[in-house]
Amino acid sequence: MGDEIVKFEKAGVQPFGVNPAGVADHAGYAKNMGFNFPLLSDPDRAIAAAYHALKEDGTSIQRSVYVVRSDGTIAFAQRGAPPVDEIVAALDAGAPGGSRAG
């Protein structure tokens, strides 16, 4: 994960994760996974719903990646775990990223 974080930092991106688990659970999870970025707790799944990351059952979450520019526009959106280079390229190109996640 370290190489990916460096790529994000060079692009001026602060990555973070959103997960429905509680804050107390995140510390252990982040340590076990080797995450070196913040995790936000979304127990009521409001963030997941707002970003159309809920599966059809309305409770399960589909991994999704969004890059939100400082002006609030979406620079990149995709379900799954796209390569970091693809995410950064969307920023470099100034591309809107389409609506592949939603």
Side-chain angles (χ1 to χ4, degrees):
M1 191 100 240
D3 291 342
E4 287 89 357
I5 293 298
V6 170
K7 290 177 184 180
F8 282 131
E9 288 172 351
K10 286 182 180 180
V13 174
Q14 169 59 63
F16 60 88
V18 179
N19 185 292
V23 173
D25 295 328
H26 278 169
Y29 180 69
K31 183 178 179 181
N32 289 339
M33 297 299 292
F35 291 161
N36 54 355
F37 54 86
L39 290 177
L40 306 178
S41 180
D42 185 26
D44 61 0
R45 293 163 174 77
I47 297 169
Y51 282 88
H52 307 285
L54 291 176
K55 293 182 180 179
E56 289 185 23
D57 66 9
T59 58
S60 299
I61 296 176
Q62 168 69 47
R63 179 180 288 175
S64 303
V65 174
Y66 285 87
V67 177
V68 182
R69 291 189 177 102
S70 60
D71 67 2
T73 60
I74 303 295
F76 183 88
Q78 184 173 324
R79 292 203 183 269
V84 172
D85 290 336
E86 184 178 330
I87 299 166
V88 172
L91 290 168
D92 290 344
S99 59
R100 295 175 281 175

Coordinates of all heavy atoms in Angstrom, one line a residue:
M1 N 0.8 -1.2 0.0 CA 0.0 0.0 0.0 C 0.9 1.3 0.0 O 0.4 2.3 -0.4 CB -0.9 -0.1 1.2 CG -2.0 1.0 1.2 SD -3.5 0.2 0.7 CE -4.0 1.1 -0.7
G2 N 2.1 1.2 0.4 CA 3.0 2.3 0.5 C 3.2 3.0 -0.8 O 3.2 4.2 -0.9
D3 N 3.5 2.2 -1.9 CA 3.7 2.8 -3.2 C 2.5 3.5 -3.7 O 2.6 4.6 -4.3 CB 4.1 1.7 -4.2 CG 5.5 1.1 -3.9 OD1 6.3 1.7 -3.2 OD2 5.8 0.0 -4.4
E4 N 1.3 3.0 -3.4 CA 0.1 3.6 -3.9 C -0.1 5.0 -3.2 O -0.5 5.9 -3.8 CB -1.1 2.7 -3.6 CG -1.2 1.5 -4.6 CD -0.4 0.3 -4.1 OE1 0.2 0.4 -3.0 OE2 -0.5 -0.7 -4.8
I5 N 0.2 5.0 -1.9 CA 0.0 6.2 -1.1 C 0.9 7.3 -1.7 O 0.5 8.5 -1.8 CB 0.3 6.0 0.4 CG1 -0.8 5.1 1.0 CG2 0.4 7.3 1.1 CD1 -2.2 5.7 0.9
V6 N 2.2 7.0 -2.0 CA 3.1 7.9 -2.6 C 2.5 8.5 -3.9 O 2.6 9.7 -4.2 CB 4.5 7.3 -2.8 CG1 5.4 8.2 -3.7 CG2 5.1 6.9 -1.5
K7 N 1.9 7.7 -4.7 CA 1.3 8.1 -6.0 C 0.2 9.1 -5.7 O 0.1 10.1 -6.4 CB 0.8 7.0 -6.8 CG 2.0 6.1 -7.4 CD 1.4 4.9 -8.2 CE 2.5 4.0 -8.6 NZ 2.0 2.8 -9.4
F8 N -0.6 8.8 -4.7 CA -1.7 9.7 -4.4 C -1.1 11.0 -3.9 O -1.6 12.1 -4.2 CB -2.6 9.1 -3.3 CG -3.6 8.1 -3.9 CD1 -3.7 6.8 -3.2 CD2 -4.4 8.3 -5.0 CE1 -4.6 5.9 -3.7 CE2 -5.3 7.4 -5.4 CZ -5.4 6.2 -4.8
E9 N -0.1 10.9 -3.0 CA 0.4 12.2 -2.4 C 1.0 13.1 -3.5 O 0.8 14.3 -3.5 CB 1.5 11.8 -1.4 CG 1.0 11.2 -0.1 CD 2.0 10.7 0.8 OE1 3.2 10.6 0.4 OE2 1.7 10.4 2.0
K10 N 1.7 12.5 -4.5 CA 2.3 13.2 -5.6 C 1.2 13.9 -6.4 O 1.4 15.0 -7.0 CB 3.2 12.4 -6.5 CG 4.5 12.0 -5.8 CD 5.3 11.2 -6.8 CE 6.7 10.8 -6.1 NZ 7.5 10.0 -7.0
A11 N 0.0 13.3 -6.5 CA -1.1 13.9 -7.2 C -1.9 14.8 -6.4 O -2.9 15.4 -6.9 CB -2.0 12.7 -7.8
G12 N -1.5 15.0 -5.1 CA -2.3 15.9 -4.2 C -3.6 15.3 -3.7 O -4.5 16.1 -3.4
V13 N -3.7 14.0 -3.6 CA -4.9 13.3 -3.2 C -4.7 12.8 -1.8 O -3.7 12.1 -1.5 CB -5.2 12.2 -4.2 CG1 -6.4 11.4 -3.7 CG2 -5.5 12.7 -5.6
Q14 N -5.7 13.0 -0.9 CA -5.7 12.4 0.4 C -6.7 11.3 0.4 O -7.9 11.5 0.4 CB -6.1 13.4 1.5 CG -6.5 12.8 2.8 CD -5.3 12.0 3.4 OE1 -4.3 12.6 3.7 NE2 -5.4 10.7 3.6
P15 N -6.3 10.0 0.3 CA -7.2 8.9 0.3 C -7.7 8.6 1.7 O -7.0 8.9 2.7 CB -6.4 7.7 -0.2 CG -5.0 8.1 0.1 CD -4.9 9.6 0.1
F16 N -8.9 8.1 1.7 CA -9.5 7.6 3.0 C -10.5 6.6 2.6 O -11.0 6.5 1.5 CB -10.1 8.7 3.9 CG -11.2 9.5 3.2 CD1 -12.5 9.1 3.3 CD2 -10.9 10.6 2.5 CE1 -13.5 9.8 2.8 CE2 -11.9 11.4 1.9 CZ -13.2 10.9 2.0
G17 N -10.8 5.7 3.6 CA -11.8 4.7 3.4 C -13.1 5.0 4.2 O -13.0 5.7 5.2
V18 N -14.2 4.5 3.7 CA -15.5 4.6 4.4 C -16.0 3.2 4.6 O -16.0 2.4 3.6 CB -16.5 5.4 3.6 CG1 -17.8 5.5 4.4 CG2 -15.9 6.8 3.3
N19 N -16.3 2.8 5.8 CA -16.7 1.5 6.2 C -17.9 1.5 7.2 O -17.9 2.4 8.0 CB -15.5 0.8 6.7 CG -15.7 -0.7 7.0 OD1 -16.4 -1.0 7.9 ND2 -15.0 -1.5 6.3
P20 N -18.8 0.6 7.1 CA -19.9 0.7 8.1 C -19.6 0.2 9.5 O -20.3 0.4 10.4 CB -21.0 -0.3 7.5 CG -20.2 -1.3 6.7 CD -19.0 -0.5 6.1
A21 N -18.4 -0.3 9.7 CA -18.0 -0.7 11.0 C -17.8 0.5 12.0 O -17.6 1.6 11.5 CB -16.7 -1.5 11.0
G22 N -17.9 0.2 13.2 CA -17.7 1.3 14.2 C -16.3 1.7 14.3 O -15.3 1.0 13.9
V23 N -16.1 2.9 14.9 CA -14.7 3.5 15.0 C -13.8 2.5 15.7 O -12.6 2.4 15.3 CB -14.8 4.8 15.7 CG1 -13.4 5.4 16.0 CG2 -15.6 5.8 14.8
A24 N -14.2 1.9 16.8 CA -13.4 1.0 17.6 C -12.9 -0.2 16.8 O -11.7 -0.6 16.9 CB -14.1 0.5 18.8
D25 N -13.7 -0.7 15.9 CA -13.3 -1.8 15.0 C -12.3 -1.3 13.9 O -11.5 -2.1 13.5 CB -14.5 -2.4 14.3 CG -15.5 -3.1 15.3 OD1 -15.0 -3.6 16.3 OD2 -16.7 -3.0 15.0
H26 N -12.3 -0.1 13.5 CA -11.5 0.4 12.5 C -10.0 0.3 12.8 O -9.2 0.0 12.0 CB -11.8 1.8 12.1 CG -13.0 1.9 11.1 ND1 -13.6 3.0 10.8 CD2 -13.6 0.9 10.4 CE1 -14.6 2.8 9.9 NE2 -14.6 1.5 9.7
A27 N -9.7 0.6 14.0 CA -8.2 0.6 14.4 C -7.6 -0.7 14.2 O -6.5 -0.8 13.6 CB -8.1 1.1 15.9
G28 N -8.2 -1.8 14.7 CA -7.7 -3.1 14.5 C -7.7 -3.5 13.0 O -6.7 -4.1 12.6
Y29 N -8.7 -3.2 12.3 CA -8.8 -3.5 10.9 C -7.7 -2.8 10.1 O -7.0 -3.5 9.3 CB -10.2 -3.2 10.4 CG -10.4 -3.5 8.9 CD1 -10.5 -4.8 8.4 CD2 -10.5 -2.4 8.0 CE1 -10.7 -5.0 7.1 CE2 -10.7 -2.7 6.6 CZ -10.8 -4.0 6.2 OH -11.0 -4.2 4.9
A30 N -7.5 -1.5 10.4 CA -6.5 -0.8 9.6 C -5.1 -1.3 9.9 O -4.3 -1.4 9.0 CB -6.6 0.7 10.0
K31 N -4.9 -1.7 11.2 CA -3.6 -2.3 11.5 C -3.4 -3.6 10.8 O -2.3 -3.9 10.3 CB -3.5 -2.4 13.1 CG -2.2 -2.9 13.5 CD -2.1 -3.0 15.0 CE -0.7 -3.6 15.5 NZ -0.6 -3.7 16.9
N32 N -4.4 -4.5 10.9 CA -4.3 -5.8 10.2 C -4.0 -5.7 8.7 O -3.3 -6.5 8.1 CB -5.5 -6.6 10.5 CG -5.6 -7.1 11.9 OD1 -4.6 -7.2 12.7 ND2 -6.8 -7.5 12.4
M33 N -4.7 -4.7 8.1 CA -4.6 -4.6 6.7 C -3.4 -3.7 6.2 O -3.1 -3.6 5.1 CB -5.9 -3.9 6.1 CG -7.1 -4.8 6.3 SD -7.0 -6.4 5.5 CE -7.1 -5.9 3.8
G34 N -2.7 -3.1 7.2 CA -1.6 -2.2 6.9 C -2.0 -0.9 6.2 O -1.2 -0.3 5.5
F35 N -3.2 -0.4 6.5 CA -3.6 0.8 6.0 C -2.9 2.0 6.6 O -2.7 2.0 7.8 CB -5.1 1.0 6.2 CG -6.0 0.1 5.4 CD1 -7.3 -0.1 5.8 CD2 -5.5 -0.6 4.3 CE1 -8.2 -0.9 5.0 CE2 -6.4 -1.4 3.5 CZ -7.7 -1.6 3.9
N36 N -2.5 2.9 5.8 CA -1.8 4.1 6.3 C -2.6 5.4 5.9 O -2.0 6.4 5.5 CB -0.3 4.2 5.9 CG -0.1 4.1 4.5 OD1 -1.0 3.8 3.7 ND2 1.1 4.2 4.0
F37 N -3.9 5.2 5.9 CA -4.8 6.3 5.5 C -6.0 6.2 6.5 O -6.3 5.2 7.0 CB -5.2 6.3 4.1 CG -5.8 5.0 3.6 CD1 -7.2 4.7 3.8 CD2 -5.0 4.0 3.1 CE1 -7.7 3.5 3.4 CE2 -5.6 2.8 2.7 CZ -6.9 2.5 2.9
P38 N -6.7 7.3 6.7 CA -7.9 7.3 7.6 C -9.0 6.5 7.1 O -9.3 6.4 5.9 CB -8.3 8.8 7.7 CG -7.3 9.6 6.9 CD -6.5 8.6 6.1
L39 N -9.8 5.9 8.0 CA -11.0 5.2 7.8 C -12.1 6.0 8.5 O -12.0 6.3 9.6 CB -11.0 3.8 8.3 CG -10.1 2.8 7.6 CD1 -10.1 1.4 8.3 CD2 -10.5 2.6 6.1
L40 N -13.2 6.2 7.7 CA -14.4 6.9 8.3 C -15.4 5.8 8.6 O -15.6 4.9 7.8 CB -14.9 7.9 7.3 CG -13.9 9.0 6.8 CD1 -14.6 9.9 5.8 CD2 -13.3 9.7 8.0
S41 N -16.1 6.0 9.7 CA -17.2 5.1 10.1 C -18.5 5.6 9.5 O -18.9 6.7 9.7 CB -17.3 5.0 11.6 OG -18.3 4.1 12.0
D42 N -19.3 4.7 8.9 CA -20.6 5.0 8.3 C -21.6 3.9 8.7 O -22.1 3.2 7.9 CB -20.4 5.0 6.7 CG -21.6 5.4 6.0 OD1 -22.5 6.2 6.6 OD2 -21.8 5.0 4.8
P43 N -21.8 3.8 10.0 CA -22.7 2.7 10.5 C -24.1 2.8 10.0 O -24.7 1.7 9.8 CB -22.7 2.9 12.0 CG -22.3 4.3 12.3 CD -21.4 4.7 11.1
D44 N -24.6 3.9 9.7 CA -26.0 4.0 9.1 C -26.0 4.0 7.6 O -27.1 4.1 7.0 CB -26.7 5.2 9.6 CG -26.1 6.5 9.3 OD1 -25.0 6.5 8.6 OD2 -26.6 7.6 9.6
R45 N -24.8 3.9 7.0 CA -24.6 3.7 5.6 C -25.1 4.9 4.8 O -25.4 4.9 3.6 CB -25.2 2.4 5.0 CG -24.5 1.2 5.6 CD -25.4 0.0 5.4 NE -24.7 -1.3 5.8 CZ -24.4 -1.7 7.0 NH1 -24.8 -0.9 8.0 NH2 -23.8 -2.8 7.2
A46 N -25.1 6.1 5.4 CA -25.6 7.3 4.7 C -24.6 7.7 3.6 O -25.0 8.2 2.6 CB -25.7 8.4 5.8
I47 N -23.3 7.6 3.9 CA -22.3 8.0 2.9 C -22.4 7.0 1.7 O -22.4 7.4 0.6 CB -20.9 8.0 3.5 CG1 -20.8 9.1 4.6 CG2 -19.8 8.3 2.4 CD1 -19.5 9.1 5.4
A48 N -22.5 5.7 2.0 CA -22.6 4.7 1.0 C -23.8 4.9 0.1 O -23.8 4.8 -1.1 CB -22.6 3.3 1.6
A49 N -24.9 5.3 0.8 CA -26.2 5.6 0.0 C -26.0 6.8 -0.9 O -26.4 6.8 -2.1 CB -27.3 5.8 0.9
A50 N -25.4 7.9 -0.3 CA -25.2 9.1 -1.1 C -24.3 8.9 -2.3 O -24.5 9.6 -3.3 CB -24.6 10.2 -0.2
Y51 N -23.4 8.0 -2.2 CA -22.4 7.7 -3.3 C -22.8 6.5 -4.1 O -22.0 5.9 -4.9 CB -21.0 7.6 -2.8 CG -20.4 9.0 -2.5 CD1 -20.6 9.6 -1.3 CD2 -19.7 9.7 -3.5 CE1 -20.1 10.9 -1.1 CE2 -19.2 10.9 -3.3 CZ -19.4 11.5 -2.1 OH -18.9 12.8 -1.9
H52 N -24.1 6.0 -4.0 CA -24.6 4.9 -4.7 C -23.7 3.7 -4.6 O -23.5 2.9 -5.6 CB -24.8 5.3 -6.2 CG -25.6 6.5 -6.4 ND1 -27.0 6.5 -6.2 CD2 -25.3 7.8 -6.6 CE1 -27.5 7.7 -6.4 NE2 -26.4 8.5 -6.6
A53 N -23.2 3.4 -3.4 CA -22.3 2.3 -3.2 C -23.0 1.1 -2.5 O -22.4 0.1 -2.1 CB -21.1 2.7 -2.3
L54 N -24.3 1.2 -2.3 CA -25.1 0.1 -1.7 C -25.5 -0.9 -2.8 O -25.8 -0.5 -3.9 CB -26.3 0.6 -1.0 CG -26.1 1.5 0.3 CD1 -27.5 2.0 0.8 CD2 -25.4 0.6 1.4
K55 N -25.4 -2.1 -2.4 CA -25.9 -3.2 -3.3 C -27.4 -3.2 -3.3 O -28.0 -2.4 -2.5 CB -25.3 -4.5 -2.9 CG -23.8 -4.7 -3.0 CD -23.4 -6.0 -2.6 CE -21.9 -6.2 -2.8 NZ -21.4 -7.5 -2.4
E56 N -28.0 -4.0 -4.1 CA -29.5 -4.0 -4.3 C -30.2 -4.3 -3.0 O -31.3 -3.9 -2.8 CB -29.9 -5.0 -5.4 CG -29.5 -4.5 -6.8 CD -30.0 -5.4 -7.8 OE1 -31.0 -6.1 -7.6 OE2 -29.4 -5.4 -8.9
D57 N -29.6 -5.0 -2.0 CA -30.2 -5.3 -0.8 C -30.3 -4.1 0.1 O -31.0 -4.2 1.2 CB -29.6 -6.5 -0.1 CG -28.1 -6.2 0.4 OD1 -27.7 -5.0 0.4 OD2 -27.5 -7.2 0.8
G58 N -29.7 -3.0 -0.2 CA -29.8 -1.8 0.6 C -28.9 -1.8 1.8 O -28.9 -0.7 2.5
T59 N -28.2 -2.8 2.1 CA -27.4 -2.9 3.3 C -25.9 -3.2 3.0 O -25.0 -2.7 3.7 CB -27.9 -3.8 4.4 OG1 -28.0 -5.1 3.9 CG2 -29.3 -3.4 4.9
S60 N -25.7 -4.1 2.1 CA -24.4 -4.5 1.7 C -23.7 -3.4 0.9 O -24.4 -2.7 0.1 CB -24.4 -5.8 0.9 OG -24.9 -6.9 1.7
I61 N -22.4 -3.3 1.0 CA -21.7 -2.2 0.3 C -20.9 -2.8 -0.8 O -20.1 -3.7 -0.6 CB -20.9 -1.3 1.3 CG1 -21.8 -0.7 2.3 CG2 -20.0 -0.3 0.6 CD1 -21.2 0.1 3.4
Q62 N -21.0 -2.2 -1.9 CA -20.1 -2.5 -3.1 C -18.9 -1.6 -3.0 O -19.0 -0.4 -3.0 CB -20.9 -2.2 -4.4 CG -20.0 -2.3 -5.6 CD -19.5 -3.7 -5.9 OE1 -20.3 -4.6 -5.9 NE2 -18.2 -3.8 -6.2
R63 N -17.7 -2.2 -3.0 CA -16.5 -1.4 -3.0 C -16.5 -0.4 -4.2 O -16.8 -0.8 -5.3 CB -15.2 -2.2 -3.1 CG -14.0 -1.4 -3.1 CD -12.7 -2.2 -3.2 NE -12.5 -2.8 -1.9 CZ -11.6 -3.7 -1.6 NH1 -10.7 -4.1 -2.6 NH2 -11.5 -4.2 -0.4
S64 N -16.3 0.8 -3.9 CA -16.4 1.9 -5.0 C -15.3 2.9 -4.7 O -15.0 3.1 -3.5 CB -17.7 2.6 -5.0 OG -18.8 1.6 -5.1
V65 N -14.8 3.5 -5.7 CA -13.7 4.5 -5.6 C -14.2 5.8 -6.2 O -14.7 5.8 -7.3 CB -12.4 4.1 -6.3 CG1 -11.4 5.2 -6.2 CG2 -11.9 2.8 -5.6
Y66 N -14.2 6.8 -5.4 CA -14.5 8.2 -5.9 C -13.4 9.1 -5.5 O -12.8 9.0 -4.5 CB -15.8 8.7 -5.1 CG -17.1 8.1 -5.6 CD1 -17.5 6.9 -5.0 CD2 -17.8 8.7 -6.6 CE1 -18.7 6.3 -5.4 CE2 -19.0 8.1 -7.0 CZ -19.4 7.0 -6.4 OH -20.6 6.4 -6.8
V67 N -13.1 10.0 -6.4 CA -12.2 11.1 -6.2 C -13.0 12.4 -6.3 O -13.6 12.7 -7.4 CB -11.0 11.1 -7.2 CG1 -10.1 12.3 -6.9 CG2 -10.2 9.8 -7.1
V68 N -13.0 13.1 -5.2 CA -13.8 14.4 -5.2 C -12.8 15.5 -5.1 O -11.9 15.6 -4.3 CB -14.7 14.4 -3.9 CG1 -15.5 15.7 -3.9 CG2 -15.6 13.2 -3.8
R69 N -12.9 16.4 -6.1 CA -12.0 17.6 -6.2 C -12.4 18.5 -5.1 O -13.5 18.5 -4.5 CB -12.2 18.2 -7.6 CG -11.6 17.5 -8.7 CD -11.6 18.3 -10.0 NE -11.0 17.6 -11.1 CZ -11.7 17.0 -12.0 NH1 -13.0 17.1 -12.1 NH2 -11.1 16.3 -13.0
S70 N -11.5 19.5 -4.8 CA -11.7 20.4 -3.8 C -12.9 21.3 -4.0 O -13.5 21.9 -3.1 CB -10.4 21.3 -3.6 OG -10.1 22.0 -4.8
D71 N -13.3 21.4 -5.3 CA -14.5 22.2 -5.6 C -15.8 21.4 -5.5 O -16.9 21.8 -5.8 CB -14.4 22.9 -7.0 CG -14.4 21.9 -8.2 OD1 -14.5 20.6 -7.9 OD2 -14.3 22.3 -9.3
G72 N -15.7 20.1 -5.1 CA -16.8 19.2 -4.9 C -17.2 18.4 -6.1 O -18.1 17.6 -6.0
T73 N -16.6 18.6 -7.2 CA -16.9 17.8 -8.4 C -16.2 16.4 -8.3 O -15.2 16.3 -7.7 CB -16.5 18.5 -9.7 OG1 -15.1 18.7 -9.7 CG2 -17.2 19.8 -9.9
I74 N -16.9 15.5 -9.0 CA -16.3 14.1 -9.0 C -15.3 14.0 -10.1 O -15.6 14.2 -11.3 CB -17.4 13.1 -9.2 CG1 -18.5 13.2 -8.1 CG2 -16.9 11.6 -9.3 CD1 -18.0 12.9 -6.7
A75 N -14.1 13.7 -9.8 CA -13.0 13.5 -10.8 C -12.9 12.1 -11.3 O -12.5 11.9 -12.4 CB -11.7 13.9 -10.2
F76 N -13.4 11.1 -10.5 CA -13.2 9.7 -10.8 C -14.3 9.0 -10.0 O -14.5 9.2 -8.9 CB -11.8 9.2 -10.5 CG -11.6 7.8 -10.9 CD1 -11.1 7.5 -12.1 CD2 -11.8 6.8 -10.0 CE1 -10.9 6.2 -12.5 CE2 -11.6 5.5 -10.3 CZ -11.1 5.1 -11.6
A77 N -14.9 8.0 -10.7 CA -15.9 7.1 -10.0 C -15.9 5.8 -10.7 O -16.0 5.7 -11.9 CB -17.3 7.7 -10.1
Q78 N -15.6 4.7 -9.9 CA -15.6 3.4 -10.4 C -15.9 2.4 -9.3 O -15.4 2.5 -8.2 CB -14.3 3.1 -11.1 CG -14.3 1.7 -11.8 CD -13.0 1.5 -12.6 OE1 -12.5 2.5 -13.2 NE2 -12.5 0.3 -12.6
R79 N -16.7 1.4 -9.6 CA -16.9 0.3 -8.7 C -15.6 -0.6 -8.7 O -14.9 -0.7 -9.7 CB -18.1 -0.5 -9.1 CG -19.4 0.2 -8.8 CD -20.5 -0.7 -8.7 NE -21.8 0.0 -8.5 CZ -22.3 0.4 -7.4 NH1 -21.7 0.1 -6.3 NH2 -23.5 1.0 -7.3
G80 N -15.4 -1.3 -7.6 CA -14.3 -2.3 -7.5 C -13.1 -1.6 -7.0 O -13.2 -0.6 -6.2
A81 N -11.9 -2.1 -7.4 CA -10.7 -1.5 -6.9 C -9.7 -1.3 -8.1 O -8.9 -2.0 -8.4 CB -10.0 -2.5 -5.9
P82 N -10.0 -0.1 -8.7 CA -9.2 0.2 -9.9 C -7.7 0.5 -9.5 O -7.4 0.9 -8.4 CB -9.8 1.4 -10.5 CG -10.5 2.1 -9.3 CD -10.9 0.9 -8.4
P83 N -6.8 0.3 -10.5 CA -5.4 0.6 -10.2 C -5.2 2.1 -9.9 O -5.9 2.9 -10.4 CB -4.7 0.2 -11.5 CG -5.6 -0.6 -12.3 CD -7.0 -0.2 -11.8
V84 N -4.3 2.3 -9.0 CA -4.0 3.7 -8.6 C -3.6 4.6 -9.8 O -4.0 5.7 -9.9 CB -2.9 3.7 -7.5 CG1 -2.5 5.2 -7.2 CG2 -3.4 3.1 -6.2
D85 N -2.8 4.0 -10.7 CA -2.4 4.7 -11.8 C -3.6 5.2 -12.7 O -3.6 6.3 -13.2 CB -1.5 3.9 -12.7 CG -0.1 3.7 -12.0 OD1 0.3 4.4 -11.2 OD2 0.6 2.7 -12.4
E86 N -4.6 4.4 -12.7 CA -5.8 4.8 -13.5 C -6.5 6.0 -12.8 O -7.0 6.9 -13.4 CB -6.8 3.6 -13.6 CG -8.0 3.9 -14.4 CD -8.9 2.6 -14.6 OE1 -8.4 1.5 -14.5 OE2 -10.1 2.8 -14.7
I87 N -6.6 5.9 -11.5 CA -7.2 7.0 -10.7 C -6.4 8.3 -10.9 O -7.0 9.4 -11.2 CB -7.3 6.6 -9.2 CG1 -8.2 5.4 -9.0 CG2 -7.8 7.8 -8.4 CD1 -8.0 4.7 -7.7
V88 N -5.1 8.2 -10.7 CA -4.3 9.4 -10.9 C -4.3 10.0 -12.3 O -4.3 11.2 -12.5 CB -2.9 9.1 -10.4 CG1 -1.9 10.3 -10.7 CG2 -2.9 8.8 -8.9
A89 N -4.4 9.1 -13.3 CA -4.4 9.5 -14.7 C -5.7 10.3 -14.9 O -5.6 11.3 -15.7 CB -4.4 8.3 -15.6
A90 N -6.8 10.0 -14.3 CA -8.0 10.7 -14.5 C -7.9 12.1 -14.0 O -8.4 13.1 -14.5 CB -9.2 10.0 -13.8
L91 N -7.1 12.3 -12.9 CA -6.9 13.6 -12.3 C -5.9 14.4 -13.2 O -6.2 15.6 -13.5 CB -6.3 13.5 -10.9 CG -7.2 13.0 -9.9 CD1 -6.4 12.6 -8.6 CD2 -8.2 14.0 -9.6
D92 N -4.9 13.7 -13.7 CA -3.9 14.4 -14.5 C -4.5 14.9 -15.8 O -4.2 15.9 -16.3 CB -2.7 13.4 -14.9 CG -1.9 13.1 -13.6 OD1 -1.9 13.9 -12.7 OD2 -1.1 12.2 -13.7
A93 N -5.5 14.1 -16.3 CA -6.1 14.4 -17.6 C -7.2 15.5 -17.4 O -7.7 16.0 -18.4 CB -6.7 13.2 -18.3
G94 N -7.6 15.7 -16.1 CA -8.7 16.6 -15.9 C -10.0 16.0 -16.3 O -11.0 16.7 -16.4
A95 N -10.0 14.7 -16.5 CA -11.2 14.0 -17.0 C -12.2 14.0 -15.9 O -11.9 13.8 -14.7 CB -10.8 12.6 -17.4
P96 N -13.5 14.0 -16.2 CA -14.6 13.9 -15.2 C -14.7 12.6 -14.6 O -15.3 12.4 -13.6 CB -15.8 14.4 -16.0 CG -15.5 14.1 -17.4 CD -14.0 14.3 -17.5
G97 N -14.2 11.5 -15.3 CA -14.2 10.2 -14.7 C -15.5 9.4 -15.1 O -15.6 8.3 -14.7
G98 N -16.4 10.1 -15.7 CA -17.7 9.4 -16.1 C -18.5 9.0 -14.9 O -18.4 9.6 -13.8
S99 N -19.5 8.1 -15.1 CA -20.4 7.8 -14.0 C -20.4 6.2 -13.9 O -21.4 5.6 -13.7 CB -21.8 8.3 -14.3 OG -22.2 7.8 -15.6
R100 N -19.2 5.7 -14.0 CA -19.1 4.2 -14.0 C -19.5 3.6 -12.6 O -19.8 2.4 -12.6 CB -17.7 3.8 -14.3 CG -17.3 4.2 -15.8 CD -15.9 3.9 -16.0 NE -15.1 4.9 -15.5 CZ -13.8 4.9 -15.4 NH1 -13.1 3.9 -15.9 NH2 -13.1 5.9 -14.9
A101 N -19.5 4.3 -11.6 CA -19.8 3.8 -10.3 C -21.3 3.9 -9.9 O -21.8 3.2 -9.1 CB -19.0 4.4 -9.2
G102 N -22.0 4.8 -10.5 CA -23.3 5.0 -10.1 C -24.4 4.5 -10.9 O -25.5 4.3 -10.6

